[in-house]
Amino acid sequence: MIYVIVSLVALFVFLFNSKKNNFRKIYIFFKTLKRDLSLVRILICMVIQFALYQKRQDTVPKLFSKLVSKNSKRNAIYFEEETWTFQEVENFSNKIANFFKSKGYKRGDVVALFMENRPEYVCVWLGLSKIGVITALVNNNLVGDPLLHSISAVQPKCIIYGSALKDVIKNSSDAIPNTKLYQLSGRNEKSELLEEAENLNVKLDQESDASPTEEIRKGKLRDKLLYIYTSGTTGLPKAAIISNGRFLMVATGLPAMTKLTKEDVMYNSLPLYHSTGAMLCLSHCLITGGPIALRKKFSASNFWKDCNKYKCTVALYIGEICRYLLVHHTNDNTLIHHSVKKLVGSGLRPQIWKEFVSKFNIKQVFEIYGSTEGNVNMMNLDNTPGAVGYFPVWLKFVHSMSLIKCNMETAEPIRGSDGFYQACQPGEPGLFIGKISLNKIIGQFLGYVNKEASEKKLLRNVFKPGDVFFNSGDILVQDELGYFYFRDRTGDTFRWKGENVATSEVEAVISNILNLRDAVVYGVEVPGTEGRAGMAAVVDKDKTLDLQKFGQSLKSNLPAYSIPLFLRIIESVELTGTFKLKKTTLRQEGFNIEKIQDKLYMFDAKNITYAELTEDIYDDIMTGKVRL
Ligand SMILES: *[C@@H]1O[C@H](CO)[C@@H](O)[C@H](O)[C@H]1NC(C)=O
Ligand SMILES: *[C@@H]1O[C@H](CO)[C@@H](O)[C@H](O)[C@H]1NC(C)=O
Ligand SMILES: *[C@@H]1O[C@H](CO)[C@@H](O)[C@H](O)[C@H]1NC(C)=O
């Protein structure tokens, strides 16, 4: 009955709002009706569930404690040969909470966590959240300046780091003088302690594992929970604010949309400092109560073996993972044994979608579109190959997510003659934007720790005076059925090996190394790879650039995925208003040896230097003989 009413209202709204009431529209309406009704049902469930959280002022630690009381003996986390029950996660995180409380840490204080994937990672931030302390999840690939930048951006009271990363911390400890260091080792990890640091394991052994119930009770839905770094599409990495509410939003949406339950074992080889790992994986464990299997780093040869070992029924992915798996198993014609039915993640491209699901026998792929800091997210719920989600066509007029006309090179939105931005037609690519409503939790944009950075991501007076939208910086296209497809990420960042690379950050590092020499960094497309490979164009008029030294300096100042793969020596860079234009030309020419007269080099990761890009190597890259 309710469906009939909703359908009729929807049809009415749709016809009323379309300028031309033609038959095509009615046909589309009925074709997508079932899909849209199921989405409406899911959204209603989510809204009810979320309203309940809001009413009770639930937080992640509150819900987790409740979960533990009913599931104490069940397994929560698998990692290598370790198995952690829910009670063990609870007790370890209680110790963390009690220890830092005894050290005088208060609600709203910040702690930086710098650690590889392991069960303790989860316990640390969960424990800190119990006493209202915010954990900043620092990318554990970082070294040198980018690491210092990430840490200083959030001004933490202390840094908790994993023993495995002690050398990186040691190299930077002079530059972070007034911040306390705590070193934490895994259960089976033996490691020397840094002189500057305290041994957190020893401290925790002496600490009580009783739950800090009083502190937990003080928590509110709007309290900040985590800082997750994102390079977004503009400038240096920024710490995006994740509140308890934002986390619970994901925790509500994931099971509602994918029908995952606590019986599902989830495999995660993605880093826990990224939003996919931090929110999708951990909300499944901490809120839904499903076991998770963690891996330190993704490995193509162990992916299905691991899934099999831990009897996983769902796995998280990013596009690169899918491609590496396909490449790894190219010559494998036998059936790969595993129990994974569902995949959840983002970046599985239309070009390999069908091949991937049939080769690995995956029943359903839930492709997600969204960003850590963005306020609109969507998910492909009906297995439509290549789509990143959909939005009912008949609800288009609410503009909660829209595509607007923009300059395709710069993603600069274009205003129409009436002074407002213009919505795209079906099939027309445009800039994806999401409406920000300040009074609702859904559609809220919490922004970054840095206020100025937040303002940069906003578009004002979009469709009518005073409205505000979040600018995703992404180019998408929507078909007439309402499915969205990803086109391109523009602006100052590109993705490589599953990580966002901020061009300005790499440019800053190069400029430092080369005594302020001019350099521009951009991403170039390489056949058969996801995202874009980094390329730097460096001015070297007097031919004094020492390639070996340059390569080594880059290596000690940048994570591996940020080091420009290609290097182009140029005469000059136009730093004026045409700067952007120049970059566009460079990006288009890429590393095309046939077009470019300038000297081209490629990063040699073994010798840590740049070696000349020869025609043979170029051909091998283009034909896929060399895998990048
Ligand atoms: C630490 O710095 C030294 C000297 O700059 C360098 O050789 C070494 O590779 C660095 N180690 C790490 C782990 O970054
Ligand atoms: C967890 O802590 C409680 C309360 O301190 C204790 O009774 C229990 O034995 C602990 N359980 C484990 C598995 O450590
Ligand atoms: C790089 O290392 C390889 C061996 O791994 C060696 O054959 C080659 O000559 C080296 N190249 C340079 C430029 O040092």
Side-chain angles (χ1 to χ4, degrees):
M1 184 59 196
I2 184 139
Y3 284 165
V4 177
I5 296 172
V6 171
S7 320
L8 287 176
V9 170
L11 181 60
F12 176 74
V13 165
F14 181 54
L15 293 179
F16 186 74
N17 279 282
S18 19
K19 294 194 180 81
K20 279 179 279 172
N21 297 349
N22 51 26
F23 288 116
R24 181 82 193 150
K25 290 210 165 130
I26 294 173
Y27 162 76
I28 289 170
F29 177 81
F30 283 107
K31 189 172 160 64
T32 57
L33 186 60
K34 189 160 163 263
R35 176 199 78 177
D36 292 350
L37 285 180
S38 93
L39 181 66
V40 166
R41 188 181 54 82
I42 289 168
L43 290 177
I44 291 173
C45 290
M46 282 175 63
V47 167
I48 293 171
Q49 172 71 68
F50 201 77
L52 194 66
Y53 286 152
Q54 211 162 3
K55 181 160 177 291
R56 295 192 307 222
Q57 285 297 314
D58 275 327
T59 61
V60 174
K62 281 185 197 174
L63 291 170
F64 183 71
S65 295
K66 222 182 272 177
L67 184 82
V68 172
S69 64
K70 296 194 192 106
N71 297 278
S72 59
K73 294 211 173 57
R74 289 182 55 235
N75 293 339
I77 307 178
Y78 301 104
F79 173 70
E80 295 174 356
E81 301 310 317
E82 300 173 20
T83 302
W84 290 55
T85 63
F86 279 94
Q87 190 67 56
E88 284 171 302
V89 173
E90 169 78 346
N91 284 20
F92 195 101
S93 61
N94 286 344
K95 281 167 179 273
I96 292 275
N98 294 330
F99 173 70
F100 284 96
K101 186 168 161 33
S102 76
K103 287 282 164 197
Y105 282 62
K106 302 181 306 293
R107 308 194 81 78
D109 285 344
V110 180
V111 165
L113 178 59
F114 186 59
M115 192 183 286
E116 69 287 9
N117 280 9
R118 52 172 53 258
E120 287 84 354
Y121 192 102
V122 186
C123 300
V124 167
W125 78 242
L126 178 65
L128 292 169
S129 77
K130 293 185 178 199
I131 56 169
V133 169
I134 309 157
T135 311
L137 309 180
V138 180
N139 179 336
N140 60 38
N141 289 297
L142 296 183
V143 289
D145 277 346
L147 173 62
L148 294 176
H149 168 84
S150 291
I151 292 173
S152 64
V154 297
Q155 302 184 326
K157 275 189 88 167
C158 76
I159 301 170
I160 303 176
Y161 65 90
S163 305
L165 298 168
K166 71 176 191 329
D167 294 337
V168 181
I169 289 287
K170 190 171 174 54
N171 271 10
S172 298
S173 61
D174 292 345
I176 28 175
N178 296 319
T179 313
K180 202 153 178 62
L181 298 174
Y182 289 104
Q183 180 168 326
L184 185 65
S185 308
R187 276 186 185 173
N188 306 313
E189 216 177 11
K190 295 255 176 311
S191 182
E192 269 171 50
L193 183 70
L194 284 189
E195 239 171 76
E196 305 83 329
E198 283 205 52
N199 189 334
L200 190 54
N201 299 78
V202 172
K203 302 280 174 197
L204 295 180
D205 282 345
Q206 301 155 357
E207 206 48 72
S208 145
D209 50 16
S211 171
T213 344
E214 271 311 304
E215 282 295 329
I216 294 177
R217 202 172 297 151
K218 286 184 200 157
K220 295 270 188 299
L221 188 78
R222 274 176 191 262
D223 287 355
K224 292 174 189 171
L225 177 70
L226 300 171
Y227 290 149
I228 295 185
Y229 294 85
T230 140
S231 40
T233 43
T234 52
L236 289 165
K238 289 178 279 288
I241 301 165
I242 308 295
S243 64
N244 277 275
R246 181 76 211 277
F247 192 91
L248 292 182
M249 200 65 228
V250 174
T252 317
L254 183 67
M257 297 195 174
T258 59
K259 301 197 169 67
L260 289 179
T261 69
K262 66 179 191 178
E263 305 308 323
D264 284 295
V265 185
M266 180 181 277
Y267 183 64
N268 176 44
S269 51
L270 298 170
L272 290 175
Y273 57 79
H274 264 184
S275 51
T276 311
M279 300 218 271
L280 288 178
C281 173
L282 297 188
S283 74
H284 178 67
C285 178
L286 302 178
I287 308 297
T288 307
I292 54 173
L294 294 180
R295 190 180 173 87
K296 210 175 274 178
K297 261 207 157 69
F298 165 74
S299 142
S301 53
N302 286 300
F303 190 91
W304 299 119
K305 276 186 214 157
D306 281 349
C307 287
N308 204 21
K309 172 173 165 188
Y310 304 115
K311 304 197 168 51
C312 298
T313 54
V314 53
L316 297 179
Y317 71 88
I318 49 173
E320 291 77 3
I321 284 189
C322 301
R323 193 168 50 79
Y324 291 141
L325 287 177
L326 269 184
V327 168
H328 184 81
H329 292 282
T330 340
N331 301 322
D332 244 340
N333 293 320
T334 53
L335 197 67
I336 293 154
H337 197 70
H338 66 81
S339 46
V340 175
K341 300 272 182 309
K342 296 174 180 173
L343 285 188
V344 183
S346 53
L348 179 53
R349 294 287 168 250
Q351 297 83 354
I352 61 167
W353 186 297
K354 286 182 183 152
E355 184 188 355
F356 188 89
V357 295
S358 80
K359 172 139 196 140
F360 299 116
N361 193 22
I362 302 297
K363 293 276 170 315
Q364 186 157 18
V365 180
F366 294 94
E367 168 84 14
I368 302 171
Y369 171 84
S371 55
T372 312
E373 72 279 36
N375 62 330
V376 276
N377 298 288
M378 52 184 167
M379 195 185 249
N380 177 346
L381 299 178
D382 65 354
N383 240 348
T384 305
V388 298
Y390 52 76
F391 192 70
V393 182
W394 49 274
L395 273 177
K396 219 170 183 171
F397 73 98
V398 302
H399 289 311
S400 78
M401 36 181 96
S402 295
L403 296 180
I404 53 175
K405 290 186 207 279
C406 70
N407 176 326
M408 285 299 143
E409 290 300 337
T410 59
E412 203 61 44
I414 302 167
R415 290 196 188 264
S417 51
D418 59 356
F420 294 109
Y421 293 121
Q422 303 151 279
C424 293
Q425 294 303 309
E428 182 187 8
L431 181 67
F432 186 76
I433 59 174
K435 190 166 192 162
I436 294 173
S437 36
L438 298 169
N439 47 0
K440 280 181 267 159
I441 289 269
I442 302 171
Q444 202 186 26
F445 173 59
L446 292 175
Y448 307 102
V449 174
N450 175 340
K451 285 278 181 313
E452 221 171 284
S454 306
E455 188 57 35
K456 265 181 146 178
K457 293 296 288 182
L458 303 182
L459 289 177
R460 294 178 185 277
N461 305 322
V462 175
F463 295 119
K464 59 177 200 284
D467 61 359
V468 189
F469 282 73
F470 173 80
N471 178 355
S472 73
D474 292 335
I475 309 253
L476 270 67
V477 59
Q478 190 180 23
D479 67 12
E480 60 173 1
L481 298 179
Y483 291 99
F484 283 99
Y485 297 85
F486 188 84
R487 271 293 168 84
D488 202 359
R489 174 153 295 168
T490 55
D492 302 339
T493 57
F494 56 86
R495 265 173 90 79
W496 183 241
K497 311 254 184 220
E499 298 279 351
N500 282 326
V501 181
T503 56
S504 54
E505 190 182 336
V506 183
E507 280 162 6
V509 167
I510 292 181
S511 159
N512 257 347
I513 294 173
L514 301 180
N515 293 323
L516 306 179
R517 207 191 281 247
D518 285 336
V520 281
V521 173
Y522 44 96
V524 296
E525 282 176 346
V526 182
T529 66
E530 301 293 324
R532 288 166 187 267
M535 180 155 187
V538 174
V539 177
D540 186 29
K541 267 191 273 200
D542 42 9
K543 308 209 163 37
T544 51
L545 184 64
D546 180 340
L547 292 171
Q548 176 111 41
K549 230 163 122 192
F550 181 51
Q552 279 164 353
S553 308
L554 286 177
K555 170 102 181 166
S556 43
N557 280 293
L558 287 172
Y561 56 78
S562 291
I563 299 174
L565 185 62
F566 300 106
L567 176 65
R568 174 175 179 174
I569 304 298
I570 51 175
E571 286 287 315
S572 66
V573 183
E574 280 178 66
L575 286 168
T576 49
T578 54
F579 183 60
K580 252 188 178 147
L581 238 153
K582 181 81 184 176
K583 218 166 171 171
T584 309
T585 330
L586 287 170
R587 188 161 51 207
Q588 273 164 1
E589 289 177 352
F591 59 104
N592 189 339
I593 203 164
E594 284 143 19
K595 268 201 197 147
I596 299 170
Q597 305 300 321
D598 300 328
K599 271 229 173 287
L600 292 177
Y601 298 89
M602 189 171 151
F603 189 64
D604 174 349
K606 284 211 185 79
N607 298 4
I608 319 183
T609 183
Y610 279 93
E612 190 172 346
L613 181 71
T614 61
E615 269 184 42
D616 287 349
I617 300 175
Y618 178 79
D619 289 341
D620 287 350
I621 294 172
M622 297 312 280
T623 54
K625 251 195 232 159
V626 175
R627 293 223 174 92
L628 300 173

